[in-house]
PDB file of all heavy atoms in Angstrom:
ATOM      1  N   THR G   1     -30.507-136.528   2.220  1.00 92.00           N
ATOM      2  CA  THR G   1     -29.933-135.253   1.790  1.00 92.00           C
ATOM      3  C   THR G   1     -30.705-134.094   2.416  1.00 92.00           C
ATOM      4  O   THR G   1     -31.931-134.113   2.477  1.00 92.00           O
ATOM      5  CB  THR G   1     -29.967-135.123   0.260  1.00 92.00           C
ATOM      6  OG1 THR G   1     -29.167-136.165  -0.310  1.00 92.00           O
ATOM      7  CG2 THR G   1     -29.411-133.778  -0.191  1.00 92.00           C
ATOM      8  N   THR G   2     -29.963-133.090   2.878  1.00 94.00           N
ATOM      9  CA  THR G   2     -30.598-131.920   3.482  1.00 94.00           C
ATOM     10  C   THR G   2     -30.328-130.672   2.655  1.00 94.00           C
ATOM     11  O   THR G   2     -29.375-130.615   1.880  1.00 94.00           O
ATOM     12  CB  THR G   2     -30.076-131.686   4.915  1.00 94.00           C
ATOM     13  OG1 THR G   2     -28.650-131.515   4.876  1.00 94.00           O
ATOM     14  CG2 THR G   2     -30.414-132.865   5.811  1.00 94.00           C
ATOM     15  N   CYS G   3     -31.170-129.689   2.833  1.00 93.00           N
ATOM     16  CA  CYS G   3     -31.005-128.393   2.164  1.00 93.00           C
ATOM     17  C   CYS G   3     -29.770-127.708   2.725  1.00 93.00           C
ATOM     18  O   CYS G   3     -29.588-127.629   3.951  1.00 93.00           O
ATOM     19  CB  CYS G   3     -32.253-127.543   2.405  1.00 93.00           C
ATOM     20  SG  CYS G   3     -32.110-125.816   1.890  1.00 93.00           S
ATOM     21  N   LEU G   4     -28.904-127.208   1.862  1.00 91.00           N
ATOM     22  CA  LEU G   4     -27.681-126.555   2.308  1.00 91.00           C
ATOM     23  C   LEU G   4     -27.951-125.278   3.093  1.00 91.00           C
ATOM     24  O   LEU G   4     -27.095-124.827   3.846  1.00 91.00           O
ATOM     25  CB  LEU G   4     -26.803-126.204   1.100  1.00 91.00           C
ATOM     26  CG  LEU G   4     -25.970-127.321   0.501  1.00 91.00           C
ATOM     27  CD1 LEU G   4     -25.225-126.813  -0.722  1.00 91.00           C
ATOM     28  CD2 LEU G   4     -24.994-127.872   1.522  1.00 91.00           C
ATOM     29  N   LEU G   5     -29.131-124.716   2.936  1.00 93.00           N
ATOM     30  CA  LEU G   5     -29.413-123.419   3.546  1.00 93.00           C
ATOM     31  C   LEU G   5     -30.172-123.513   4.860  1.00 93.00           C
ATOM     32  O   LEU G   5     -29.909-122.747   5.779  1.00 93.00           O
ATOM     33  CB  LEU G   5     -30.184-122.551   2.549  1.00 93.00           C
ATOM     34  CG  LEU G   5     -29.453-122.330   1.217  1.00 93.00           C
ATOM     35  CD1 LEU G   5     -30.338-121.596   0.231  1.00 93.00           C
ATOM     36  CD2 LEU G   5     -28.156-121.559   1.438  1.00 93.00           C
ATOM     37  N   CYS G   6     -31.114-124.454   4.964  1.00 93.00           N
ATOM     38  CA  CYS G   6     -31.880-124.555   6.216  1.00 93.00           C
ATOM     39  C   CYS G   6     -31.602-125.852   6.969  1.00 93.00           C
ATOM     40  O   CYS G   6     -32.055-126.027   8.105  1.00 93.00           O
ATOM     41  CB  CYS G   6     -33.377-124.435   5.939  1.00 93.00           C
ATOM     42  SG  CYS G   6     -34.114-125.886   5.134  1.00 93.00           S
ATOM     43  N   ILE G   7     -30.881-126.781   6.341  1.00 92.00           N
ATOM     44  CA  ILE G   7     -30.477-128.065   6.929  1.00 92.00           C
ATOM     45  C   ILE G   7     -31.660-129.012   7.153  1.00 92.00           C
ATOM     46  O   ILE G   7     -31.519-130.047   7.779  1.00 92.00           O
ATOM     47  CB  ILE G   7     -29.685-127.866   8.257  1.00 92.00           C
ATOM     48  CG1 ILE G   7     -28.702-126.728   8.126  1.00 92.00           C
ATOM     49  CG2 ILE G   7     -28.907-129.120   8.614  1.00 92.00           C
ATOM     50  CD1 ILE G   7     -27.682-126.913   7.014  1.00 92.00           C
ATOM     51  N   ASP G   8     -32.844-128.669   6.671  1.00 94.00           N
ATOM     52  CA  ASP G   8     -33.970-129.601   6.728  1.00 94.00           C
ATOM     53  C   ASP G   8     -33.908-130.544   5.528  1.00 94.00           C
ATOM     54  O   ASP G   8     -33.321-130.199   4.499  1.00 94.00           O
ATOM     55  CB  ASP G   8     -35.300-128.845   6.718  1.00 94.00           C
ATOM     56  CG  ASP G   8     -35.599-128.183   8.051  1.00 94.00           C
ATOM     57  OD1 ASP G   8     -35.003-128.610   9.060  1.00 94.00           O
ATOM     58  OD2 ASP G   8     -36.426-127.249   8.082  1.00 94.00           O
ATOM     59  N   PRO G   9     -34.510-131.729   5.618  1.00 93.00           N
ATOM     60  CA  PRO G   9     -34.464-132.685   4.497  1.00 93.00           C
ATOM     61  C   PRO G   9     -35.132-132.126   3.242  1.00 93.00           C
ATOM     62  O   PRO G   9     -36.082-131.342   3.331  1.00 93.00           O
ATOM     63  CB  PRO G   9     -35.236-133.898   5.036  1.00 93.00           C
ATOM     64  CG  PRO G   9     -35.197-133.758   6.524  1.00 93.00           C
ATOM     65  CD  PRO G   9     -35.208-132.284   6.793  1.00 93.00           C
ATOM     66  N   VAL G  10     -34.611-132.527   2.093  1.00 93.00           N
ATOM     67  CA  VAL G  10     -35.244-132.177   0.816  1.00 93.00           C
ATOM     68  C   VAL G  10     -36.021-133.386   0.326  1.00 93.00           C
ATOM     69  O   VAL G  10     -35.860-134.498   0.831  1.00 93.00           O
ATOM     70  CB  VAL G  10     -34.197-131.756  -0.243  1.00 93.00           C
ATOM     71  CG1 VAL G  10     -33.448-130.509   0.199  1.00 93.00           C
ATOM     72  CG2 VAL G  10     -33.212-132.897  -0.527  1.00 93.00           C
ATOM     73  N   ASP G  11     -36.881-133.172  -0.668  1.00 90.00           N
ATOM     74  CA  ASP G  11     -37.615-134.298  -1.255  1.00 90.00           C
ATOM     75  C   ASP G  11     -36.635-135.263  -1.902  1.00 90.00           C
ATOM     76  O   ASP G  11     -35.493-134.902  -2.211  1.00 90.00           O
ATOM     77  CB  ASP G  11     -38.615-133.781  -2.294  1.00 90.00           C
ATOM     78  CG  ASP G  11     -39.690-132.898  -1.663  1.00 90.00           C
ATOM     79  OD1 ASP G  11     -40.060-133.168  -0.511  1.00 90.00           O
ATOM     80  OD2 ASP G  11     -40.130-131.941  -2.317  1.00 90.00           O
ATOM     81  N   ASP G  12     -37.073-136.487  -2.131  1.00 85.00           N
ATOM     82  CA  ASP G  12     -36.169-137.509  -2.658  1.00 85.00           C
ATOM     83  C   ASP G  12     -36.037-137.452  -4.174  1.00 85.00           C
ATOM     84  O   ASP G  12     -35.527-138.379  -4.794  1.00 85.00           O
ATOM     85  CB  ASP G  12     -36.627-138.903  -2.228  1.00 85.00           C
ATOM     86  CG  ASP G  12     -38.041-139.229  -2.702  1.00 85.00           C
ATOM     87  OD1 ASP G  12     -38.646-138.384  -3.394  1.00 85.00           O
ATOM     88  OD2 ASP G  12     -38.530-140.321  -2.383  1.00 85.00           O
ATOM     89  N   GLN G  13     -36.484-136.349  -4.782  1.00 83.00           N
ATOM     90  CA  GLN G  13     -36.336-136.179  -6.226  1.00 83.00           C
ATOM     91  C   GLN G  13     -36.418-134.692  -6.552  1.00 83.00           C
ATOM     92  O   GLN G  13     -36.866-133.898  -5.740  1.00 83.00           O
ATOM     93  CB  GLN G  13     -37.445-136.923  -6.971  1.00 83.00           C
ATOM     94  CG  GLN G  13     -38.843-136.438  -6.602  1.00 83.00           C
ATOM     95  CD  GLN G  13     -39.924-137.232  -7.284  1.00 83.00           C
ATOM     96  OE1 GLN G  13     -39.658-137.982  -8.206  1.00 83.00           O
ATOM     97  NE2 GLN G  13     -41.149-137.081  -6.841  1.00 83.00           N
ATOM     98  N   ARG G  14     -35.933-134.334  -7.755  1.00 82.00           N
ATOM     99  CA  ARG G  14     -36.087-132.952  -8.199  1.00 82.00           C
ATOM    100  C   ARG G  14     -37.565-132.678  -8.438  1.00 82.00           C
ATOM    101  O   ARG G  14     -38.264-133.489  -9.035  1.00 82.00           O
ATOM    102  CB  ARG G  14     -35.294-132.719  -9.484  1.00 82.00           C
ATOM    103  CG  ARG G  14     -33.807-132.584  -9.274  1.00 82.00           C
ATOM    104  CD  ARG G  14     -33.083-132.367 -10.591  1.00 82.00           C
ATOM    105  NE  ARG G  14     -33.183-133.533 -11.460  1.00 82.00           N
ATOM    106  CZ  ARG G  14     -33.905-133.573 -12.574  1.00 82.00           C
ATOM    107  NH1 ARG G  14     -34.566-132.514 -12.974  1.00 82.00           N
ATOM    108  NH2 ARG G  14     -33.946-134.665 -13.306  1.00 82.00           N
ATOM    109  N   CYS G  15     -38.040-131.563  -7.954  1.00 88.00           N
ATOM    110  CA  CYS G  15     -39.438-131.207  -8.132  1.00 88.00           C
ATOM    111  C   CYS G  15     -39.559-129.696  -7.955  1.00 88.00           C
ATOM    112  O   CYS G  15     -38.551-128.997  -7.850  1.00 88.00           O
ATOM    113  CB  CYS G  15     -40.331-131.949  -7.130  1.00 88.00           C
ATOM    114  SG  CYS G  15     -39.913-131.628  -5.409  1.00 88.00           S
ATOM    115  N   TYR G  16     -40.770-129.201  -7.945  1.00 91.00           N
ATOM    116  CA  TYR G  16     -40.965-127.755  -7.801  1.00 91.00           C
ATOM    117  C   TYR G  16     -40.332-127.246  -6.511  1.00 91.00           C
ATOM    118  O   TYR G  16     -39.697-126.194  -6.486  1.00 91.00           O
ATOM    119  CB  TYR G  16     -42.463-127.433  -7.810  1.00 91.00           C
ATOM    120  CG  TYR G  16     -42.771-125.958  -7.704  1.00 91.00           C
ATOM    121  CD1 TYR G  16     -42.764-125.142  -8.840  1.00 91.00           C
ATOM    122  CD2 TYR G  16     -43.064-125.378  -6.478  1.00 91.00           C
ATOM    123  CE1 TYR G  16     -43.040-123.788  -8.747  1.00 91.00           C
ATOM    124  CE2 TYR G  16     -43.347-124.025  -6.375  1.00 91.00           C
ATOM    125  CZ  TYR G  16     -43.332-123.233  -7.514  1.00 91.00           C
ATOM    126  OH  TYR G  16     -43.595-121.892  -7.411  1.00 91.00           O
ATOM    127  N   ARG G  17     -40.456-127.993  -5.443  1.00 92.00           N
ATOM    128  CA  ARG G  17     -39.986-127.542  -4.136  1.00 92.00           C
ATOM    129  C   ARG G  17     -38.494-127.794  -3.925  1.00 92.00           C
ATOM    130  O   ARG G  17     -37.828-127.073  -3.190  1.00 92.00           O
ATOM    131  CB  ARG G  17     -40.791-128.257  -3.044  1.00 92.00           C
ATOM    132  CG  ARG G  17     -40.449-127.829  -1.624  1.00 92.00           C
ATOM    133  CD  ARG G  17     -41.427-128.435  -0.622  1.00 92.00           C
ATOM    134  NE  ARG G  17     -41.093-128.037   0.740  1.00 92.00           N
ATOM    135  CZ  ARG G  17     -40.352-128.756   1.569  1.00 92.00           C
ATOM    136  NH1 ARG G  17     -39.872-129.924   1.171  1.00 92.00           N
ATOM    137  NH2 ARG G  17     -40.106-128.334   2.790  1.00 92.00           N
ATOM    138  N   THR G  18     -37.953-128.805  -4.568  1.00 93.00           N
ATOM    139  CA  THR G  18     -36.553-129.196  -4.368  1.00 93.00           C
ATOM    140  C   THR G  18     -35.751-128.935  -5.635  1.00 93.00           C
ATOM    141  O   THR G  18     -36.099-129.407  -6.705  1.00 93.00           O
ATOM    142  CB  THR G  18     -36.460-130.682  -3.985  1.00 93.00           C
ATOM    143  OG1 THR G  18     -37.130-130.890  -2.738  1.00 93.00           O
ATOM    144  CG2 THR G  18     -35.013-131.112  -3.849  1.00 93.00           C
ATOM    145  N   MET G  19     -34.647-128.184  -5.494  1.00 94.00           N
ATOM    146  CA  MET G  19     -33.837-127.795  -6.646  1.00 94.00           C
ATOM    147  C   MET G  19     -32.374-128.164  -6.396  1.00 94.00           C
ATOM    148  O   MET G  19     -31.967-128.441  -5.267  1.00 94.00           O
ATOM    149  CB  MET G  19     -33.981-126.285  -6.898  1.00 94.00           C
ATOM    150  CG  MET G  19     -35.426-125.836  -7.090  1.00 94.00           C
ATOM    151  SD  MET G  19     -35.608-124.045  -7.178  1.00 94.00           S
ATOM    152  CE  MET G  19     -34.833-123.733  -8.775  1.00 94.00           C
ATOM    153  N   VAL G  20     -31.590-128.153  -7.487  1.00 94.00           N
ATOM    154  CA  VAL G  20     -30.183-128.523  -7.390  1.00 94.00           C
ATOM    155  C   VAL G  20     -29.359-127.582  -8.262  1.00 94.00           C
ATOM    156  O   VAL G  20     -29.849-127.061  -9.272  1.00 94.00           O
ATOM    157  CB  VAL G  20     -29.971-129.998  -7.833  1.00 94.00           C
ATOM    158  CG1 VAL G  20     -30.295-130.175  -9.306  1.00 94.00           C
ATOM    159  CG2 VAL G  20     -28.544-130.465  -7.529  1.00 94.00           C
ATOM    160  N   CYS G  21     -28.118-127.362  -7.885  1.00 94.00           N
ATOM    161  CA  CYS G  21     -27.219-126.564  -8.718  1.00 94.00           C
ATOM    162  C   CYS G  21     -26.904-127.341  -9.990  1.00 94.00           C
ATOM    163  O   CYS G  21     -26.495-128.508  -9.920  1.00 94.00           O
ATOM    164  CB  CYS G  21     -25.930-126.254  -7.962  1.00 94.00           C
ATOM    165  SG  CYS G  21     -24.647-125.475  -8.999  1.00 94.00           S
ATOM    166  N   PRO G  22     -27.060-126.745 -11.169  1.00 93.00           N
ATOM    167  CA  PRO G  22     -26.809-127.457 -12.425  1.00 93.00           C
ATOM    168  C   PRO G  22     -25.329-127.658 -12.711  1.00 93.00           C
ATOM    169  O   PRO G  22     -24.970-128.400 -13.614  1.00 93.00           O
ATOM    170  CB  PRO G  22     -27.444-126.546 -13.480  1.00 93.00           C
ATOM    171  CG  PRO G  22     -27.291-125.178 -12.906  1.00 93.00           C
ATOM    172  CD  PRO G  22     -27.495-125.351 -11.425  1.00 93.00           C
ATOM    173  N   VAL G  23     -24.472-127.011 -11.943  1.00 93.00           N
ATOM    174  CA  VAL G  23     -23.028-127.082 -12.194  1.00 93.00           C
ATOM    175  C   VAL G  23     -22.384-128.197 -11.370  1.00 93.00           C
ATOM    176  O   VAL G  23     -21.854-129.165 -11.907  1.00 93.00           O
ATOM    177  CB  VAL G  23     -22.348-125.729 -11.901  1.00 93.00           C
ATOM    178  CG1 VAL G  23     -20.844-125.808 -12.195  1.00 93.00           C
ATOM    179  CG2 VAL G  23     -23.000-124.624 -12.719  1.00 93.00           C
ATOM    180  N   CYS G  24     -22.449-128.089 -10.043  1.00 92.00           N
ATOM    181  CA  CYS G  24     -21.804-129.110  -9.197  1.00 92.00           C
ATOM    182  C   CYS G  24     -22.707-130.323  -8.977  1.00 92.00           C
ATOM    183  O   CYS G  24     -22.221-131.416  -8.696  1.00 92.00           O
ATOM    184  CB  CYS G  24     -21.389-128.516  -7.856  1.00 92.00           C
ATOM    185  SG  CYS G  24     -22.769-128.020  -6.785  1.00 92.00           S
ATOM    186  N   ARG G  25     -24.036-130.147  -9.082  1.00 90.00           N
ATOM    187  CA  ARG G  25     -25.012-131.224  -8.937  1.00 90.00           C
ATOM    188  C   ARG G  25     -24.993-131.869  -7.557  1.00 90.00           C
ATOM    189  O   ARG G  25     -25.502-132.968  -7.370  1.00 90.00           O
ATOM    190  CB  ARG G  25     -24.809-132.301 -10.012  1.00 90.00           C
ATOM    191  CG  ARG G  25     -24.815-131.746 -11.425  1.00 90.00           C
ATOM    192  CD  ARG G  25     -24.683-132.822 -12.465  1.00 90.00           C
ATOM    193  NE  ARG G  25     -24.591-132.244 -13.798  1.00 90.00           N
ATOM    194  CZ  ARG G  25     -24.620-132.942 -14.903  1.00 90.00           C
ATOM    195  NH1 ARG G  25     -24.718-134.256 -14.851  1.00 90.00           N
ATOM    196  NH2 ARG G  25     -24.528-132.342 -16.091  1.00 90.00           N
ATOM    197  N   HIS G  26     -24.389-131.178  -6.593  1.00 90.00           N
ATOM    198  CA  HIS G  26     -24.356-131.681  -5.218  1.00 90.00           C
ATOM    199  C   HIS G  26     -25.020-130.722  -4.248  1.00 90.00           C
ATOM    200  O   HIS G  26     -25.251-131.083  -3.097  1.00 90.00           O
ATOM    201  CB  HIS G  26     -22.907-131.921  -4.767  1.00 90.00           C
ATOM    202  CG  HIS G  26     -22.227-133.035  -5.493  1.00 90.00           C
ATOM    203  ND1 HIS G  26     -22.526-134.364  -5.280  1.00 90.00           N
ATOM    204  CD2 HIS G  26     -21.269-133.023  -6.450  1.00 90.00           C
ATOM    205  CE1 HIS G  26     -21.773-135.120  -6.069  1.00 90.00           C
ATOM    206  NE2 HIS G  26     -21.004-134.335  -6.788  1.00 90.00           N
ATOM    207  N   ALA G  27     -25.294-129.508  -4.696  1.00 92.00           N
ATOM    208  CA  ALA G  27     -25.924-128.509  -3.833  1.00 92.00           C
ATOM    209  C   ALA G  27     -27.434-128.611  -3.978  1.00 92.00           C
ATOM    210  O   ALA G  27     -28.005-128.216  -4.992  1.00 92.00           O
ATOM    211  CB  ALA G  27     -25.438-127.107  -4.212  1.00 92.00           C
ATOM    212  N   TRP G  28     -28.092-129.142  -2.965  1.00 94.00           N
ATOM    213  CA  TRP G  28     -29.550-129.292  -2.967  1.00 94.00           C
ATOM    214  C   TRP G  28     -30.154-128.269  -2.020  1.00 94.00           C
ATOM    215  O   TRP G  28     -29.615-127.997  -0.953  1.00 94.00           O
ATOM    216  CB  TRP G  28     -29.939-130.705  -2.541  1.00 94.00           C
ATOM    217  CG  TRP G  28     -29.546-131.730  -3.548  1.00 94.00           C
ATOM    218  CD1 TRP G  28     -28.382-132.439  -3.604  1.00 94.00           C
ATOM    219  CD2 TRP G  28     -30.321-132.154  -4.678  1.00 94.00           C
ATOM    220  NE1 TRP G  28     -28.372-133.273  -4.693  1.00 94.00           N
ATOM    221  CE2 TRP G  28     -29.549-133.122  -5.367  1.00 94.00           C
ATOM    222  CE3 TRP G  28     -31.579-131.811  -5.169  1.00 94.00           C
ATOM    223  CZ2 TRP G  28     -30.012-133.744  -6.518  1.00 94.00           C
ATOM    224  CZ3 TRP G  28     -32.040-132.436  -6.315  1.00 94.00           C
ATOM    225  CH2 TRP G  28     -31.262-133.395  -6.975  1.00 94.00           C
ATOM    226  N   PHE G  29     -31.298-127.705  -2.393  1.00 94.00           N
ATOM    227  CA  PHE G  29     -31.918-126.696  -1.554  1.00 94.00           C
ATOM    228  C   PHE G  29     -33.401-126.597  -1.884  1.00 94.00           C
ATOM    229  O   PHE G  29     -33.861-127.008  -2.955  1.00 94.00           O
ATOM    230  CB  PHE G  29     -31.255-125.328  -1.751  1.00 94.00           C
ATOM    231  CG  PHE G  29     -30.796-125.073  -3.163  1.00 94.00           C
ATOM    232  CD1 PHE G  29     -31.679-124.700  -4.151  1.00 94.00           C
ATOM    233  CD2 PHE G  29     -29.453-125.219  -3.506  1.00 94.00           C
ATOM    234  CE1 PHE G  29     -31.255-124.478  -5.450  1.00 94.00           C
ATOM    235  CE2 PHE G  29     -29.014-124.999  -4.805  1.00 94.00           C
ATOM    236  CZ  PHE G  29     -29.920-124.624  -5.782  1.00 94.00           C
ATOM    237  N   HIS G  30     -34.154-126.073  -0.933  1.00 94.00           N
ATOM    238  CA  HIS G  30     -35.570-125.810  -1.152  1.00 94.00           C
ATOM    239  C   HIS G  30     -35.742-124.552  -1.993  1.00 94.00           C
ATOM    240  O   HIS G  30     -34.941-123.615  -1.889  1.00 94.00           O
ATOM    241  CB  HIS G  30     -36.299-125.623   0.181  1.00 94.00           C
ATOM    242  CG  HIS G  30     -36.248-126.809   1.075  1.00 94.00           C
ATOM    243  ND1 HIS G  30     -35.662-126.786   2.329  1.00 94.00           N
ATOM    244  CD2 HIS G  30     -36.697-128.083   0.895  1.00 94.00           C
ATOM    245  CE1 HIS G  30     -35.761-127.969   2.887  1.00 94.00           C
ATOM    246  NE2 HIS G  30     -36.377-128.774   2.043  1.00 94.00           N
ATOM    247  N   ARG G  31     -36.781-124.506  -2.805  1.00 94.00           N
ATOM    248  CA  ARG G  31     -37.069-123.320  -3.609  1.00 94.00           C
ATOM    249  C   ARG G  31     -37.221-122.089  -2.716  1.00 94.00           C
ATOM    250  O   ARG G  31     -36.673-121.025  -3.011  1.00 94.00           O
ATOM    251  CB  ARG G  31     -38.346-123.534  -4.420  1.00 94.00           C
ATOM    252  CG  ARG G  31     -38.839-122.280  -5.154  1.00 94.00           C
ATOM    253  CD  ARG G  31     -40.085-122.571  -5.945  1.00 94.00           C
ATOM    254  NE  ARG G  31     -39.767-123.387  -7.120  1.00 94.00           N
ATOM    255  CZ  ARG G  31     -39.402-122.890  -8.293  1.00 94.00           C
ATOM    256  NH1 ARG G  31     -39.299-121.583  -8.470  1.00 94.00           N
ATOM    257  NH2 ARG G  31     -39.137-123.689  -9.310  1.00 94.00           N
ATOM    258  N   ASP G  32     -37.941-122.209  -1.617  1.00 93.00           N
ATOM    259  CA  ASP G  32     -38.145-121.062  -0.730  1.00 93.00           C
ATOM    260  C   ASP G  32     -36.826-120.575  -0.139  1.00 93.00           C
ATOM    261  O   ASP G  32     -36.620-119.374   0.042  1.00 93.00           O
ATOM    262  CB  ASP G  32     -39.114-121.421   0.396  1.00 93.00           C
ATOM    263  CG  ASP G  32     -40.542-121.596  -0.104  1.00 93.00           C
ATOM    264  OD1 ASP G  32     -40.836-121.182  -1.247  1.00 93.00           O
ATOM    265  OD2 ASP G  32     -41.365-122.151   0.650  1.00 93.00           O
ATOM    266  N   CYS G  33     -35.916-121.506   0.161  1.00 94.00           N
ATOM    267  CA  CYS G  33     -34.639-121.128   0.773  1.00 94.00           C
ATOM    268  C   CYS G  33     -33.743-120.394  -0.218  1.00 94.00           C
ATOM    269  O   CYS G  33     -33.115-119.385   0.123  1.00 94.00           O
ATOM    270  CB  CYS G  33     -33.928-122.367   1.304  1.00 94.00           C
ATOM    271  SG  CYS G  33     -34.788-123.184   2.676  1.00 94.00           S
ATOM    272  N   ILE G  34     -33.668-120.904  -1.462  1.00 95.00           N
ATOM    273  CA  ILE G  34     -32.802-120.248  -2.445  1.00 95.00           C
ATOM    274  C   ILE G  34     -33.408-118.919  -2.884  1.00 95.00           C
ATOM    275  O   ILE G  34     -32.684-117.971  -3.215  1.00 95.00           O
ATOM    276  CB  ILE G  34     -32.529-121.178  -3.652  1.00 95.00           C
ATOM    277  CG1 ILE G  34     -31.226-120.764  -4.363  1.00 95.00           C
ATOM    278  CG2 ILE G  34     -33.688-121.199  -4.610  1.00 95.00           C
ATOM    279  CD1 ILE G  34     -29.982-120.970  -3.544  1.00 95.00           C
ATOM    280  N   GLN G  35     -34.737-118.812  -2.842  1.00 93.00           N
ATOM    281  CA  GLN G  35     -35.376-117.539  -3.152  1.00 93.00           C
ATOM    282  C   GLN G  35     -35.035-116.493  -2.097  1.00 93.00           C
ATOM    283  O   GLN G  35     -34.742-115.337  -2.421  1.00 93.00           O
ATOM    284  CB  GLN G  35     -36.890-117.707  -3.252  1.00 93.00           C
ATOM    285  CG  GLN G  35     -37.642-116.408  -3.499  1.00 93.00           C
ATOM    286  CD  GLN G  35     -37.261-115.749  -4.813  1.00 93.00           C
ATOM    287  OE1 GLN G  35     -37.802-116.083  -5.861  1.00 93.00           O
ATOM    288  NE2 GLN G  35     -36.343-114.787  -4.784  1.00 93.00           N
ATOM    289  N   ALA G  36     -35.042-116.888  -0.836  1.00 91.00           N
ATOM    290  CA  ALA G  36     -34.683-115.962   0.241  1.00 91.00           C
ATOM    291  C   ALA G  36     -33.231-115.512   0.106  1.00 91.00           C
ATOM    292  O   ALA G  36     -32.911-114.332   0.309  1.00 91.00           O
ATOM    293  CB  ALA G  36     -34.917-116.629   1.596  1.00 91.00           C
ATOM    294  N   GLN G  37     -32.348-116.454  -0.261  1.00 91.00           N
ATOM    295  CA  GLN G  37     -30.937-116.082  -0.428  1.00 91.00           C
ATOM    296  C   GLN G  37     -30.779-115.122  -1.597  1.00 91.00           C
ATOM    297  O   GLN G  37     -29.995-114.170  -1.529  1.00 91.00           O
ATOM    298  CB  GLN G  37     -30.081-117.323  -0.664  1.00 91.00           C
ATOM    299  CG  GLN G  37     -28.602-116.969  -0.868  1.00 91.00           C
ATOM    300  CD  GLN G  37     -27.719-118.188  -0.998  1.00 91.00           C
ATOM    301  OE1 GLN G  37     -27.945-119.183  -0.336  1.00 91.00           O
ATOM    302  NE2 GLN G  37     -26.711-118.108  -1.837  1.00 91.00           N
ATOM    303  N   ALA G  38     -31.516-115.347  -2.690  1.00 92.00           N
ATOM    304  CA  ALA G  38     -31.426-114.473  -3.858  1.00 92.00           C
ATOM    305  C   ALA G  38     -31.859-113.052  -3.518  1.00 92.00           C
ATOM    306  O   ALA G  38     -31.228-112.076  -3.944  1.00 92.00           O
ATOM    307  CB  ALA G  38     -32.282-115.026  -4.995  1.00 92.00           C
ATOM    308  N   LEU G  39     -32.913-112.923  -2.741  1.00 89.00           N
ATOM    309  CA  LEU G  39     -33.403-111.598  -2.370  1.00 89.00           C
ATOM    310  C   LEU G  39     -32.401-110.869  -1.480  1.00 89.00           C
ATOM    311  O   LEU G  39     -32.266-109.646  -1.543  1.00 89.00           O
ATOM    312  CB  LEU G  39     -34.753-111.713  -1.659  1.00 89.00           C
ATOM    313  CG  LEU G  39     -35.922-112.187  -2.527  1.00 89.00           C
ATOM    314  CD1 LEU G  39     -37.168-112.376  -1.675  1.00 89.00           C
ATOM    315  CD2 LEU G  39     -36.191-111.203  -3.660  1.00 89.00           C
ATOM    316  N   SER G  40     -31.678-111.603  -0.645  1.00 86.00           N
ATOM    317  CA  SER G  40     -30.684-110.983   0.236  1.00 86.00           C
ATOM    318  C   SER G  40     -29.402-110.632  -0.502  1.00 86.00           C
ATOM    319  O   SER G  40     -28.802-109.587  -0.264  1.00 86.00           O
ATOM    320  CB  SER G  40     -30.352-111.928   1.397  1.00 86.00           C
ATOM    321  OG  SER G  40     -31.480-112.165   2.207  1.00 86.00           O
ATOM    322  N   ALA G  41     -28.995-111.520  -1.419  1.00 87.00           N
ATOM    323  CA  ALA G  41     -27.700-111.338  -2.081  1.00 87.00           C
ATOM    324  C   ALA G  41     -27.765-110.351  -3.241  1.00 87.00           C
ATOM    325  O   ALA G  41     -26.860-109.547  -3.431  1.00 87.00           O
ATOM    326  CB  ALA G  41     -27.176-112.688  -2.577  1.00 87.00           C
ATOM    327  N   GLY G  42     -28.821-110.420  -4.045  1.00 87.00           N
ATOM    328  CA  GLY G  42     -28.886-109.589  -5.240  1.00 87.00           C
ATOM    329  C   GLY G  42     -28.071-110.190  -6.381  1.00 87.00           C
ATOM    330  O   GLY G  42     -27.297-111.134  -6.194  1.00 87.00           O
ATOM    331  N   PHE G  43     -28.242-109.637  -7.565  1.00 87.00           N
ATOM    332  CA  PHE G  43     -27.664-110.184  -8.789  1.00 87.00           C
ATOM    333  C   PHE G  43     -26.144-110.338  -8.713  1.00 87.00           C
ATOM    334  O   PHE G  43     -25.585-111.334  -9.161  1.00 87.00           O
ATOM    335  CB  PHE G  43     -28.045-109.288  -9.968  1.00 87.00           C
ATOM    336  CG  PHE G  43     -27.487-109.747 -11.288  1.00 87.00           C
ATOM    337  CD1 PHE G  43     -28.109-110.752 -11.999  1.00 87.00           C
ATOM    338  CD2 PHE G  43     -26.341-109.168 -11.811  1.00 87.00           C
ATOM    339  CE1 PHE G  43     -27.594-111.182 -13.214  1.00 87.00           C
ATOM    340  CE2 PHE G  43     -25.820-109.588 -13.022  1.00 87.00           C
ATOM    341  CZ  PHE G  43     -26.457-110.599 -13.725  1.00 87.00           C
TER     342      PHE G  43
END
């Protein structure tokens, strides 16, 4: 599985660095990547 935002591999389990969408449960991403998207997109 790769991060949807940077396309690099994610860890093989949920952890501090690897997160998942609680709704669809198929969107995996790195914490740093989703943080960057949040700062760009805004609330």
